[in-house]
Amino acid sequence: MKGLGALESQVMAVLWESADALSVHDLVAGLGTDERVPAYTTVLTVVTHLWEKGWVRREKVGRSYRYRPSRTRAEATTDLLREILDESPDAPAVLLHLARTASAREVEALRRGLSGGGSTA
């Protein structure tokens, strides 16, 4: 995801997939699907940076913190798309190109959203 490093993106993916706030130990376990598992201290540093950047919230539980995303994956993606459009010299052309390349499911979700009808999930 734009604005995030590779490990930051992986940590955010684990957090978005969880309904609960996660400890650093939980995050390390969630990242342990690859052959190379990051060290506890590395994940602690990454999640601290995510907190400083506003990507996660943290709550103190005992002597450690539990982390959860500060916004949904859809909200974060929307913010990034908005940033891209704001930086574009021709945002309408970008939107039209995106609409032309959208799948039928995505076009239907746009129609529902623009007509005020229900969720796009």
Side-chain angles (χ1 to χ4, degrees), residues 40-81:
Y40 177 93
T41 53
T42 301
V43 176
L44 175 60
T45 299
V46 167
V47 79
T48 299
H49 288 157
L50 289 168
W51 175 74
E52 291 167 346
K53 292 178 179 182
W55 283 85
V56 299
R57 295 188 321 254
R58 68 183 185 185
E59 56 195 55
K60 188 90 165 175
V61 178
R63 295 182 349 174
S64 63
Y65 287 105
R66 299 223 177 245
Y67 299 88
R68 68 177 63 246
S70 60
R71 56 197 167 178
T72 66
R73 186 188 307 253
E75 291 167 335
T77 303
T78 299
D79 291 346
L80 293 173
L81 287 171

Side-chain angles (χ1 to χ4, degrees), residues 2-15:
K2 184 180 177 194
L4 296 179
L7 189 52
E8 289 175 326
S9 293
Q10 291 171 5
V11 167
M12 289 306 302
V14 171
L15 288 168

Side-chain angles (χ1 to χ4, degrees), residues 7-38:
L7 189 52
E8 289 175 326
S9 293
Q10 291 171 5
V11 167
M12 289 306 302
V14 171
L15 288 168
W16 278 320
E17 291 168 11
S18 175
D20 301 318
L22 300 177
S23 69
V24 175
H25 284 290
D26 297 331
L27 289 168
V28 170
L31 294 167
T33 57
D34 292 341
E35 54 195 52
R36 187 166 178 244
V37 179

